[in-house]
Amino acid sequence: MANRSGPQRPNGTAQAKICQFKLVLLGESAVGKSSLVLRFVKGQFHEFQESTIGAAFLTQTVCVDDTTVKFEIWDTAGQERYHSLAPMYYRGAQAAIVVYDVTNQDTFGRAKTWVKELQRQASPNIVIALAGNKADLANKRSVELEEAQAYAEENQLLFMETSAKTAKNVNEVFLAIAKKLPKNDQNVNPSVPVNITAWLTICVLRAGHF
Amino acid sequence: MSVNGEGDPGLSGPDSLDLDLSEDSLLPTPRKTGSRSNVLNDDESLASEDDLHNYHHDFLTPGLEPRGDTASVNSVGSSYSGPPVTSSQKYNVPSASILRHVILRAVSSQLQAANEGLTVGTPSAMCVGNLIGVGTTHGVIICFDWSQRQRWKHEADREQGQVTAISLNPDSTRILAGFARGMVLMLDAVDAKVLRVIPTDAHTYSTAVVHIKFTDSPSLALLSDSGGSVFEIGLKRVLGVRSWDCKCVFSGCRGEVVALEPLLLYNLPTHPLAGSVIVAMATLSKMILVSLKPQTRLLFTQSLRANASTLPLLSWQFVVIQVADTSRVMDPVLAIARNDTIYFYQVSLERSGRISCHGLQSVSLSYSLISCHWLTSRTVALVDTNETLHLLDVRSKQELESLDLSMVEIVYNSAAFKGLATGGNVSKAMALAGQRAVYSSVHNFGNQLLLLGGKTVHVISIRLWAERIDSLIRENRYEDGLRLSMDFYEERGKAVLGLRGAKEVRQKLVKEKVVETLEKFVDVIVAGSMHVNYVDAVPVVVEHCIELGQTDLLFDKLWEGLQEDKTKFFDAVESAIIDGKLTEVPPEIMQSLVSYQESSHKWSELETCIQRVDVICLDLEQVMTICKREGLYSALISVWNRAMNDYTSPIHDLIPILRDQIIDGVVSKEGRRLGNLLLVYIASSLSGAIGADKAEFARQQVVRGLCSQHSQNADDDEICFPYIRTLLEFDTREFLNSLVISFSDASLSMQVKQRLVDIIIQVMTEGSSFKSNEVSWVLCTLNSSAVGRGLRVDPELYSQAVERLTNEDDPCLHAERQSAFLQLLTSGSLNDLAHDTLLQLAKSALFHQVCAMLYEMKGEYVEVVRCHLMDPSRRPHIFSYLERAHHSAQISITLPDIFQDILSLDPKKTGHLFVRIMPQNIPAVLSKLTEEQTYYFLKGMLEESDLDTEHMTRYVCLMCRFEPDMVLNVVRTNGNIELDPAIKVSQERGLDEVTAVLLERSGDLQGAFNCLLSRLQSAIQNGEDKAEKMTEELVSLAQRGNNVLDSKTSWLPLLMCLLKLNSHRLLQRVLSNADLNLVSELHLLMQHTNGTLGELRGLIMGLFVKCRDQRRMLEATKRLHMAGLHGELVSAVQAAKVGCRAPSLCFACDAPFKDKLCLFRCGHGYHTECIQGQQLARCIECNKD
């Protein structure tokens, strides 16, 4: 894994750059991947989220400093039968969020496997974030914060405990990824006009939203 | 933008000339001097098109002073600081055109200004090089440089008349000018210093100079005069003294030369012809090609006959010509035009050193030409007599564009041709042809055509390819621009100028331009410009983006730019996907496309798109949800297979859906579609057609899925093998068929086949849901198909199947069961079972066909026939069967029980049969029949063959009984009837007509007549309407028996009978029989009736009419006869009038004639004595009359 903690490049050269990144969500089924994305993209939460078939595609744009980052999010299905799909999506991805359920130790184990697989198979520059979801159910917790944090540090992962239900840390995790992603030329699509109004720009920092 | 200018470094000099140029490429324009740039070839230096507008403006308001703001643009790199471009007003000329028309305004206005002084006169001749030289009617020569500035003005002796020809040497340092009175001046182009004066007597005295031309050689110029002679002017400089000499090359007395064009090679020094001077000349009847250097030689002549008022036109051009092998040569091509035809000749140097000239092609036009000049190596500019310019593509002979030049007011050079200044001492032909000469006022220079008008100088040039596109875009005609650029891209474009280099380079260049055009188009669409029809534009743009691989443009710029209505975009992308042109679509756009298709219910398109597009582009969640909801099963299968490597889901998920669609054994329409799809899927995966490189994996998965004992999440009471069961229930036959097809694939292992077969048999036999005939059908298919070879099937299954089939309680129809049994039997599945057992079973189940087949196998044909007779469905066909059957089966019909059986079925057909297959048994058989049976039997026999007299008589007798109506026909058509018994029977039966026929045949005509008459009488009495027919029969009978019958007993009773009937019509019929002597009958009639004359009136009137008719007939016949006689007489008289030669000697005795001779028509004559005693009518010699 490349060293991602190096000093960030100053990217104030262009007034408004648009970077497009492919992001993939991985994790055991029913850990809340779809809920996390839904919260991030639409600001919604459904108590009974249908399980995803195959993979779902969503986009969301965030502003980081003077750069507009457009996420193309592939929300993969966690069910065993769809696991063969995952490589297709993480192969070209610049970022991945591996999600586990803080109330379920097994999902954390599964998350570790995903991280390993990503480190082995995905692009070497991929930015990986570990998200412990369902943080609102702290009373049923079975994965300790420290344990996960230690693991994340060891593997140089971004780490946050999130809750799609309360929106805790949801935007923050995406924003953290956006910040960490290299926004130099190779990701800037030169043919895209620098026309921010054309984009449905949504500043993620919607404080106080829910 | 400069094409041939210095700005184009690679091609600025002749040295860099690339002989590997494409055919479309152009030669560099002739230029050697160090001059910075070239007036005419540098677009920037020309007046812009705006000037044309100004010109129009001026033109429409004559009398106005020419505007002062003369536009004159300095060329690239030039330090010229003259009047700057001032044209600010924009004017849209229809510039889709290939041609650009501009006016050299500065030159024109200076010419006009000069003319006002009355000392200069109007322009009369022009030459073009790096300078423009213009000669005038007053013998003045004005020279303009590249910036259209007047360089100098030379006023020659006015006595010499107007300037009729003027020429610049290749490097534009010298000018030669010819005058109307014959003088030639050579001037220094820099300062107008007169270098040489060639007096009028150097060439034919007192003739005008018509052409004057420099050649490649600086010491050689050419001149032609109005006398039609051509002179070679040698220009020498000895010890600093310039001298000249003049030599006649071609004398005008051998044909007057009117056109002269030397081939200039100075810009192609590497060409094998370089160094030689070749000149094309044309008289009014001939084109002559001569070489002057290295030695004078005639190279080629060609007759050029055409209308005497037209001039021959000559123009040279270098063209790259593909020769037989892949090499290419660049050779000069001469265009020779006269009247309405252009011929092209290639001039080349052969290996032997000989210069050869051969024709390439010719073009016929619909107009008469006055000028013909090459513009590019593929296009010529033609001016016709109506002063219209035509741009012609030489290869395709297609006119690309035409332009009206009437506003130019082209200067005609007829003065020189008519010899106006020399007292008109020219030939009539010359004067007539020169009427429309424009040799000195139309010149080509590079890709431009310069025209000298009365007041102006015009330039017509071909636009550069890119400029043509740009001009379309400027006019907002994006679609046209795009089309044109695609034409260039695909090398379809015509008159392409400025595109050069190797093919790849050109392609790259054009592609850049196309993409640029496309980008501009997209920009305009995105900007929502008024000039673009959005609905038409979007599909065009999308199509081109895809074709050129500009998906970024398509999916970023256009997609983001389209604000509201993206329908057109979606439609275009959708059709591109369906056509297979596009497989990679950004997921975001694909998602929107799918939503759009979903909202507009374009399900089939959606399904196709999903199958075609790369699976990574699809939002699987969205797609799968829609597919499941809308039953787009093909798309589902495609996604499962491609995205997830999942080959079992089609079975696990879709077969249960299919099962739900089968209700009480009836499959819904939706279910049928799904079922068929599944069958195809299973068959193709089993035969390895699905999954490409994972075919083996796919096959294993499918087999595993199919063979699974229970479905996922099955209830406890699920019957095993639910998938195969459902498919069998869906359509047993099709399922089996698709399996059989895939079984033929050798790579499918025997274990798999066996496993599938075992399961199918198990499913089919154990449950009661399958009908017995289906079960046996399955067994049969498995056994009969070659596929089944090597598969084990328990023999017990067959006997079970047979038992089920023969069981009366089975729900299946009897016929279905029987046919199933038969199939089993024919397929050979039952070979192991004992015949007798089968027979027993078949008999008990009343399967007569099965029995018949079994008996046939055993060879017991009699039994076979019995079985057929027992089978109600076969019974009617027994006869045709027997005809074709085995001999021992045929024998069986003599058996009493079978015979009776078939007789009772159809005695007639039995008769047939006997005649055909065993005629020898007929007498024996006949004795056993009842009368009715006999009748029909005989009838059948009769249809097959003729009967002998005995049978016939019997048949007729029987017929009188059974089918009395038919007897008459039979009796009439058959002669072999014994008359006595037949008459007896028919009399008994009261068949009068039959009796009459038979009686007539026996010779008793009177009896027959009486018989019929009595019948007629009774018919009349009973008021039957058959009387007419009967009368006719009677009349014909009476006529037949005219000789035998006594008229008292025949005609008389008939007439009396008819009179009673009082039918005038019937009477008339009787009377119209011509051969009746009715007068005697009338007498008889009168005697035997006591009625009044009135009663007989009709009869008598009829007699009169008949008498009149007969008289007329007699007269006509007589006339004909007389006419015939007359004709014969006439021909006899004519023949007699024909004279004939009388011989001097008798042909009989060879003695001369003395007094009497007998002459024949054939010319033979004899002494009367010699032929006396012989036949006098014919000639002895030749036996003619």
Side-chain angles (χ1 to χ4, degrees):
Chain A
M1 190 69 204
N3 185 5
R4 305 252 103 249
S5 56
Q8 243 181 293
R9 261 169 156 237
N11 47 11
T13 45
Q15 270 298 313
K17 278 199 287 187
I18 292 180
C19 302
Q20 206 160 318
F21 294 110
K22 189 169 154 189
L23 183 147
V24 59
L25 273 98
L26 298 165
E28 186 59 81
S29 73
V31 294
K33 293 182 294 301
S34 300
S35 298
L36 216 55
V37 178
L38 201 64
R39 166 62 75 195
F40 173 58
V41 173
K42 297 184 181 159
Q44 298 169 346
F45 178 77
H46 302 302
E47 199 68 50
F48 301 101
Q49 174 75 30
E50 289 272 339
S51 74
T52 311
I53 305 166
F57 176 81
L58 299 100
T59 56
Q60 178 63 298
T61 312
V62 297
C63 291
V64 179
D65 305 329
D66 56 353
T67 312
T68 307
V69 174
K70 183 178 180 188
F71 280 119
E72 289 189 335
I73 306 166
W74 285 102
D75 171 23
T76 65
Q79 284 170 306
E80 183 64 38
R81 61 181 295 202
Y82 297 117
H83 279 181
S84 61
L85 274 177
M88 187 164 81
Y89 295 109
Y90 67 62
R91 211 172 285 138
Q94 285 97 354
I97 302 180
V98 179
V99 188
Y100 69 93
D101 179 353
V102 294
T103 66
N104 186 338
Q105 183 70 41
D106 293 346
T107 62
F108 184 59
R110 180 65 200 157
K112 285 179 178 171
T113 339
W114 275 121
V115 171
K116 257 186 222 134
E117 187 172 337
L118 283 174
Q119 286 168 342
R120 219 175 35 244
Q121 311 276 358
S123 138
N125 299 324
I126 193 166
V127 176
I128 306 176
L130 182 69
N133 199 23
K134 309 195 187 173
D136 51 307
L137 302 174
N139 49 345
K140 292 184 191 167
R141 173 188 291 277
S142 69
V143 181
E144 290 310 320
L145 180 68
E146 294 72 25
E147 183 191 355
Q149 212 142 29
Y151 173 76
E153 260 166 44
E154 190 184 321
N155 288 282
Q156 292 159 341
L157 311 174
L158 288 169
F159 173 70
M160 275 179 209
E161 282 204 341
T162 59
S163 167
K165 190 170 181 177
T166 64
K168 176 193 165 193
N169 276 345
V170 173
N171 292 339
E172 286 76 356
V173 73
F174 281 95
L175 210 60
I177 290 171
K179 279 190 174 148
K180 202 171 169 184
L181 280 165
K183 283 168 282 294
N184 41 18
D185 0 78
Q186 81 256 25
N187 283 320
V188 180
N189 193 339
S191 73
V192 173
V194 186
N195 176 10
I196 300 229
T197 53
W199 299 100
L200 186 67
T201 311
I202 303 164
C203 264
V204 163
L205 299 163
R206 284 178 291 193
H209 187 92
F210 195 83
Chain B
M1 290 304 253
S2 94
V3 195
N4 298 317
E6 299 275 83
D8 201 346
L11 293 147
S12 57
D15 293 331
S16 61
L17 184 73
D18 182 7
L19 279 175
D20 197 31
L21 291 180
S22 86
E23 285 160 62
D24 293 333
S25 66
L26 294 161
L27 283 176
T29 40
R31 184 166 22 79
K32 267 180 178 170
T33 53
S35 133
R36 289 299 300 145
S37 183
N38 185 306
V39 185
L40 300 168
N41 230 8
D42 193 338
D43 290 327
E44 296 301 316
S45 70
L46 291 170
S48 70
E49 278 163 38
D50 309 321
D51 283 350
L52 193 64
H53 170 62
N54 294 343
Y55 178 78
H56 277 292
H57 184 69
D58 290 348
F59 208 72
L60 293 169
T61 55
L64 273 180
E65 282 285 312
R67 290 157 65 130
D69 56 342
T70 314
S72 175
V73 185
N74 52 355
S75 67
V76 182
S78 148
S79 58
Y80 176 67
S81 56
V85 198
T86 51
S87 49
S88 55
Q89 94 198 83
K90 279 281 159 205
Y91 177 70
N92 278 341
V93 285
S95 55
S97 52
I98 302 164
L99 293 174
R100 168 213 282 272
H101 181 187
V102 289
I103 299 159
L104 298 180
R105 277 198 54 79
V107 170
S108 305
S109 61
Q110 286 171 76
L111 280 176
Q112 264 176 287
N115 190 21
E116 270 157 27
L118 291 174
T119 55
V120 174
T122 56
S124 61
M126 175 175 67
C127 62
V128 185
N130 287 338
L131 305 166
I132 301 174
V134 178
T136 70
T137 49
H138 291 178
V140 176
I141 301 162
I142 308 170
C143 183
F144 299 93
D145 66 11
W146 43 265
S147 57
Q148 301 192 38
R149 207 165 36 163
Q150 183 175 328
R151 189 178 268 194
W152 46 259
K153 187 159 90 181
H154 176 82
E155 290 181 31
D157 187 2
R158 261 181 97 161
E159 287 300 305
Q160 286 302 324
Q162 69 176 42
V163 178
T164 51
I166 185 164
S167 171
L168 262 170
N169 71 344
D171 49 12
S172 298
T173 52
R174 300 280 182 274
I175 284 179
L176 271 173
F179 293 84
R181 295 243 159 80
M183 187 184 76
V184 176
L185 281 184
M186 188 187 218
L187 304 172
D188 190 328
V190 179
D191 52 7
K193 186 179 156 198
V194 178
L195 301 176
R196 287 182 182 91
V197 179
I198 300 168
T200 54
D201 55 359
H203 56 96
T204 318
Y205 183 70
S206 184
T207 51
V209 176
V210 173
H211 290 286
I212 188 136
K213 302 275 179 187
F214 277 101
T215 67
D216 280 340
S217 164
S219 62
L220 185 65
L222 293 164
L223 175 149
S224 86
D225 59 29
S226 58
S229 303
V230 178
F231 291 85
E232 185 184 301
I233 306 173
L235 304 163
K236 283 173 192 152
R237 190 168 176 174
V238 184
L239 298 169
V241 180
R242 291 190 173 89
S243 65
W244 56 270
D245 64 66
C246 218
K247 197 166 80 181
C248 181
V249 179
F250 189 89
S251 166
C253 57
R254 293 168 64 194
E256 293 167 314
V257 169
V258 289
L260 182 69
E261 202 63 55
L263 169 65
L264 298 178
L265 289 152
Y266 58 86
N267 54 338
L268 260 184
T270 55
H271 195 274
L273 282 173
S276 49
V277 174
I278 295 173
V279 186
M281 304 187 287
T283 68
L284 288 172
S285 61
K286 222 182 234 182
M287 190 282 289
I288 305 156
L289 192 68
V290 293
S291 76
L292 298 177
K293 275 185 178 181
Q295 66 263 56
T296 308
R297 177 179 283 176
L298 177 68
L299 298 175
F300 184 75
T301 59
Q302 165 76 33
S303 170
L304 271 184
R305 299 259 168 225
N307 190 342
S309 66
T310 57
L311 281 170
L313 309 164
L314 304 168
S315 179
W316 288 99
Q317 170 74 28
F318 282 90
V319 176
V320 176
I321 293 168
Q322 183 92 40
V323 285
D325 47 353
T326 51
S327 64
R328 290 163 156 189
V329 292
M330 183 181 260
D331 269 339
V333 172
L334 177 66
I336 308 164
R338 182 139 192 218
N339 195 11
D340 56 357
T341 315
I342 314 173
Y343 306 91
F344 296 91
Y345 288 94
Q346 179 190 0
V347 176
S348 55
L349 187 68
E350 287 180 2
R351 285 217 186 100
S352 60
R354 212 173 69 90
I355 295 169
S356 69
C357 179
H358 54 267
L360 295 176
Q361 61 170 335
S362 67
V363 181
S364 285
L365 307 162
S366 56
Y367 36 83
S368 180
L369 299 174
I370 59 169
S371 162
C372 167
H373 289 281
W374 288 94
L375 286 190
T376 74
S377 60
R378 282 191 62 171
T379 42
V380 284
L382 310 167
V383 181
D384 69 11
T385 45
N386 294 328
E387 296 190 3
T388 306
L389 181 89
H390 302 270
L391 191 65
L392 185 83
D393 184 71
V394 172
R395 206 171 300 169
S396 65
K397 303 181 183 181
Q398 189 186 342
E399 182 173 317
L400 303 175
E401 204 169 303
S402 65
L403 189 68
D404 183 23
L405 294 178
S406 55
M407 61 180 262
V408 176
E409 296 180 336
I410 298 177
V411 170
Y412 286 92
N413 318 123
S414 43
F417 281 89
K418 287 178 180 168
L420 295 179
T422 53
N425 58 343
V426 293
S427 69
K428 276 183 186 165
M430 191 89 167
L432 176 64
Q435 196 75 34
R436 285 184 168 276
V438 290
Y439 289 123
S440 303
S441 41
V442 181
H443 285 283
N444 70 321
F445 189 77
N447 307 312
Q448 298 160 90
L449 191 71
L450 277 91
L451 300 138
L452 180 66
K455 290 172 183 164
T456 47
V457 177
H458 294 247
V459 179
I460 304 221
S461 57
I462 297 183
R463 287 164 195 276
L464 297 181
W465 65 276
E467 198 190 339
R468 278 162 68 186
I469 299 171
D470 288 339
S471 70
L472 283 170
I473 290 174
R474 257 201 312 280
E475 288 171 47
N476 294 315
R477 289 164 61 183
Y478 294 94
E479 272 168 69
D480 293 338
L482 204 54
R483 199 173 305 122
L484 184 64
S485 52
M486 282 310 280
D487 277 353
F488 291 139
Y489 186 59
E490 283 158 14
E491 313 237 296
R492 272 179 281 135
K494 299 263 163 56
V496 186
L497 189 62
L499 199 57
R500 63 177 74 197
K503 186 169 178 171
E504 302 78 58
V505 180
R506 277 181 287 142
Q507 287 262 318
K508 193 163 162 271
L509 264 173
V510 179
K511 186 166 179 180
E512 273 171 25
K513 185 71 191 175
V514 180
V515 171
E516 185 194 314
T517 313
L518 206 54
E519 275 173 5
K520 282 184 189 159
F521 200 178
V522 170
D523 286 343
V524 173
I525 294 174
V526 169
S529 165
M530 294 292 286
H531 302 294
V532 178
N533 183 354
Y534 167 80
V535 174
D536 295 341
V538 170
V540 174
V541 170
V542 171
E543 190 188 318
H544 282 91
C545 281
I546 291 166
E547 205 163 310
L548 297 168
Q550 298 297 312
T551 41
D552 290 349
L553 191 60
L554 180 66
F555 293 129
D556 292 328
K557 213 166 176 180
L558 186 60
W559 168 255
E560 301 299 343
L562 287 176
Q563 292 299 335
E564 60 281 2
D565 183 20
K566 290 183 174 175
T567 321
K568 286 285 151 199
F569 182 87
F570 285 134
D571 287 343
V573 169
E574 175 190 285
S575 64
I577 293 174
I578 290 173
D579 293 346
K581 289 180 190 158
L582 189 65
T583 52
E584 278 180 48
V585 185
E588 189 184 353
I589 294 172
M590 197 59 209
Q591 201 176 34
S592 314
L593 175 62
V594 170
S595 311
Y596 159 71
Q597 286 169 328
E598 185 189 1
S599 63
S600 48
H601 296 274
K602 295 164 84 173
W603 303 123
S604 64
E605 287 87 350
L606 175 60
E607 189 164 18
T608 320
C609 283
I610 292 171
Q611 287 171 277
R612 298 275 161 90
V613 89
D614 279 356
V615 85
I616 186 78
C617 309
L618 292 168
D619 178 350
L620 292 181
E621 162 114 4
Q622 178 199 25
V623 165
M624 302 284 267
T625 314
I626 296 172
C627 287
K628 278 190 178 156
R629 194 181 62 224
E630 300 300 332
L632 308 178
Y633 303 117
S634 305
L636 266 183
I637 292 176
S638 162
V639 172
W640 272 323
N641 288 353
R642 293 190 301 151
M644 306 172 195
N645 259 342
D646 178 358
Y647 298 94
T648 47
S649 282
I651 290 166
H652 290 310
D653 292 12
L654 297 184
I655 294 184
I657 299 176
L658 175 63
R659 189 176 49 212
D660 297 341
Q661 296 283 348
I662 305 174
I663 300 149
D664 295 336
V666 180
V667 188
S668 66
K669 199 177 157 206
E670 179 73 10
R672 185 140 295 280
R673 194 172 66 84
L674 172 59
N676 289 336
L677 183 70
L678 281 170
L679 291 183
V680 170
Y681 173 71
I682 289 166
S684 46
S685 57
L686 284 184
S687 50
I690 281 183
D693 49 335
K694 296 188 196 119
E696 193 48 46
F697 173 75
R699 169 150 57 199
Q700 284 169 7
Q701 292 292 306
V702 170
V703 170
R704 215 175 65 192
L706 268 182
C707 298
S708 40
Q709 204 125 17
H710 286 286
S711 55
Q712 289 168 336
N713 315 323
D715 299 336
D716 292 341
D717 56 348
E718 192 189 61
I719 318 168
C720 55
F721 304 116
Y723 302 136
I724 287 185
R725 186 180 302 276
T726 307
L727 288 171
L728 284 169
E729 277 168 7
F730 162 65
D731 194 331
T732 318
R733 274 162 200 251
E734 286 308 318
F735 180 51
L736 259 280
N737 280 339
S738 59
L739 279 186
V740 164
I741 291 165
S742 50
F743 277 12
S744 58
D745 182 36
S747 59
L748 192 65
S749 75
M750 194 49 90
Q751 287 94 317
V752 172
K753 293 184 201 170
Q754 184 67 50
R755 172 101 178 107
L756 285 168
V757 167
D758 286 349
I759 295 171
I760 290 168
I761 291 173
Q762 189 187 340
V763 169
M764 291 295 281
T765 47
E766 72 185 8
S768 56
S769 56
F770 293 97
K771 291 178 181 169
S772 52
N773 64 325
E774 282 176 343
V775 174
S776 54
W777 188 85
V778 168
L779 288 173
C780 207
T781 314
L782 291 176
N783 193 53
S784 63
S785 61
V787 181
R789 233 175 281 136
L791 292 177
R792 296 181 312 276
V793 179
D794 188 1
E796 189 60 27
L797 280 170
Y798 292 113
S799 55
Q800 276 176 13
V802 170
E803 267 166 36
R804 264 190 78 179
L805 284 174
T806 49
N807 189 353
E808 284 298 322
D809 305 331
D810 200 83
C812 256
L813 289 175
H814 183 267
E816 284 179 352
R817 282 185 288 134
Q818 174 156 264
S819 70
F821 200 143
L822 272 176
Q823 273 187 334
L824 275 176
L825 202 56
T826 46
S827 71
S829 321
L830 304 180
N831 289 350
D832 299 341
L833 299 179
H835 257 123
D836 292 337
T837 331
L838 290 174
L839 201 58
Q840 211 62 44
L841 285 166
K843 268 186 181 163
S844 67
L846 298 175
F847 291 169
H848 299 297
Q849 290 179 34
V850 178
C851 291
M853 183 171 280
L854 285 167
Y855 279 125
E856 206 164 321
M857 286 173 177
K858 287 163 90 177
E860 295 178 17
Y861 292 99
V862 178
E863 289 305 314
V864 176
V865 175
R866 287 216 172 90
C867 288
H868 277 298
L869 282 170
M870 273 191 275
D871 184 349
S873 64
R874 289 286 189 89
R875 225 175 130 86
H877 307 296
I878 184 76
F879 293 103
S880 52
Y881 166 75
L882 277 171
E883 250 178 68
R884 284 177 283 106
H886 192 269
H887 182 67
S888 47
Q890 293 179 339
I891 296 283
S892 70
I893 53 170
T894 51
L895 295 176
D897 61 326
I898 294 176
F899 179 66
Q900 284 305 329
D901 214 349
I902 60 171
L903 202 60
S904 64
L905 201 58
D906 192 338
K908 194 167 138 192
K909 282 193 175 162
T910 317
H912 261 240
L913 196 64
F914 266 86
V915 171
R916 285 210 194 140
I917 61 177
M918 36 191 59
Q920 70 278 16
N921 287 25
I922 293 173
V925 166
L926 269 177
S927 59
K928 294 182 200 162
L929 301 178
T930 62
E931 286 207 319
E932 190 173 357
Q933 281 171 339
T934 316
Y935 169 66
Y936 286 108
F937 190 85
L938 285 171
K939 191 171 181 180
M941 282 173 68
L942 183 63
E943 277 172 20
E944 233 9 78
S945 71
D946 287 336
L947 294 176
D948 57 11
T949 314
E950 184 198 344
H951 287 141
M952 195 65 206
T953 313
R954 188 145 177 228
Y955 176 60
V956 171
C957 294
L958 287 170
M959 196 177 208
C960 290
R961 267 179 67 188
F962 295 108
E963 276 183 294
D965 296 344
M966 308 293 287
V967 184
L968 188 60
N969 267 333
V970 176
V971 169
R972 275 192 183 150
T973 49
N974 288 288
N976 56 346
I977 303 167
E978 283 178 50
L979 294 171
D980 289 348
I983 292 171
K984 208 174 138 201
V985 173
S986 70
Q987 275 173 343
E988 271 171 27
R989 292 281 153 194
L991 300 169
D992 293 336
E993 283 169 327
V994 179
T995 317
V997 171
L998 291 171
L999 279 173
E1000 191 186 342
R1001 201 172 286 165
S1002 71
D1004 184 2
L1005 278 161
Q1006 189 62 52
F1009 189 85
N1010 290 345
C1011 184
L1012 285 177
L1013 189 63
S1014 64
R1015 196 161 141 261
L1016 177 64
Q1017 279 164 342
S1018 65
I1020 290 170
Q1021 270 170 6
N1022 300 343
E1024 283 174 41
D1025 44 0
K1026 283 192 221 151
E1028 193 172 332
K1029 205 171 152 238
M1030 286 175 181
T1031 315
E1032 260 175 55
E1033 274 172 28
L1034 267 173
V1035 169
S1036 62
L1037 179 64
Q1039 276 171 358
R1040 280 200 298 273
N1042 217 2
N1043 302 333
V1044 189
L1045 287 174
D1046 181 4
S1047 53
K1048 269 187 199 158
T1049 52
S1050 56
W1051 288 110
L1052 194 58
L1054 178 59
L1055 280 173
M1056 293 202 6
C1057 177
L1058 289 176
L1059 280 173
K1060 260 182 228 157
L1061 190 62
N1062 210 3
S1063 159
H1064 190 73
R1065 204 153 45 88
L1066 283 178
L1067 257 178
Q1068 199 69 46
R1069 291 192 89 108
V1070 175
L1071 290 171
S1072 63
N1073 279 305
D1075 50 345
L1076 269 186
N1077 183 4
L1078 279 170
V1079 186
S1080 55
E1081 270 86 39
L1082 185 65
H1083 281 293
L1084 286 170
L1085 197 64
M1086 300 284 271
Q1087 282 167 17
H1088 285 81
T1089 57
N1090 44 5
T1092 58
L1093 197 62
E1095 282 179 2
L1096 295 172
R1097 189 168 160 262
L1099 184 58
I1100 292 162
M1101 289 301 285
L1103 277 173
F1104 281 145
V1105 171
K1106 189 177 169 186
C1107 176
R1108 200 168 61 224
D1109 289 348
Q1110 281 185 345
R1111 192 181 287 158
R1112 265 189 212 145
M1113 194 128 85
L1114 185 64
E1115 274 168 17
T1117 324
K1118 208 164 144 193
R1119 235 184 355 259
L1120 278 173
H1121 180 63
M1122 295 313 278
L1125 274 178
H1126 179 75
E1128 268 175 41
L1129 183 62
V1130 166
S1131 55
V1133 166
Q1134 265 179 350
K1137 276 181 188 164
V1138 176
C1140 71
R1141 187 177 61 88
S1144 52
L1145 296 172
C1146 168
F1147 273 77
C1149 61
D1150 279 348
F1153 293 109
K1154 291 195 181 80
D1155 49 350
K1156 267 190 165 179
L1157 86 160
C1158 184
L1159 191 61
F1160 288 92
R1161 292 244 152 257
C1162 52
H1164 297 139
Y1166 309 93
H1167 291 111
T1168 331
E1169 309 87 67
C1170 289
I1171 52 164
Q1172 245 168 14
Q1174 291 180 38
Q1175 220 181 349
L1176 260 172
R1178 290 180 181 278
C1179 170
I1180 306 166
E1181 215 46 31
C1182 54
N1183 207 17
K1184 278 183 185 162
D1185 288 347

